[in-house]
């Protein structure tokens, strides 16, 4: 696996890695930067993987600021429904739209 794109994201790094016929979006903590982290999703093209990683990082930063944390492949908060990471990556929302969704729960499946 080869790292093609790297984003600092809160206390983690989001990596786009070239794998067998796919591009994985992985996350790893900066306190343990060994390996390639945990895969969150796979994409067919580098461009789509990088775009998804960028959008995930924006949403993840805002989610952390609003009490969510990453558990398996979901963003979770005690009193709210979990939000699937793949669903987050499919959205191309602005920071304001993410704040609205995370504070009101609107639009989350």
């Amino acid at each position: 696996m080869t790292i093609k794109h790297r984003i600092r994201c809160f206390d983690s790094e989001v990596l786009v890695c070239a794998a067998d016929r796919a591009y994985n979006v992985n996350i790893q903590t900066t306190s343990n930067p060994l390996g390639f982290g945990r895969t969150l999703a796979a994409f067919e093209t580098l461009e789509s993987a990088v775009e998804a990683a960028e959008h995930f990082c924006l949403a993840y930063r805002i989610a952390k600021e609003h009490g969510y944390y990453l558990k398996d492949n979901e963003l979770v908060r005690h009193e709210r429904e979990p939000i699937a990471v793949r669903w987050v990556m499919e959205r191309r929302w602005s920071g304001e739209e993410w704040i609205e969704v995370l504070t009101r729960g609107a639009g989350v499946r």
Side-chain angles (χ1 to χ4, degrees), residues 32 48 100 103:
N32 186 16
S48 61
E100 177 74 16
T103 57

Side-chain angles (χ1 to χ4, degrees), residues 14-70:
V14 177
L15 311 172
V16 175
C17 301
D20 299 326
R21 298 185 204 130
Y23 293 91
N24 293 340
V25 176
N26 296 354
I27 191 166
Q28 70 179 13
T29 64
T30 53
S31 63
N32 186 16
L34 301 176
F36 297 102
R38 182 167 46 96
T39 300
L40 298 173
F43 295 86
E44 291 183 11
T45 66
L46 177 59
E47 180 180 283
S48 61
V50 168
E51 188 176 340
E54 295 282 347
H55 285 283
F56 171 75
C57 190
L58 169 69
Y60 183 52
R61 179 184 55 79
I62 293 168
K64 293 272 286 186
E65 291 169 357
H66 286 86
Y68 286 81
Y69 61 95
L70 183 64

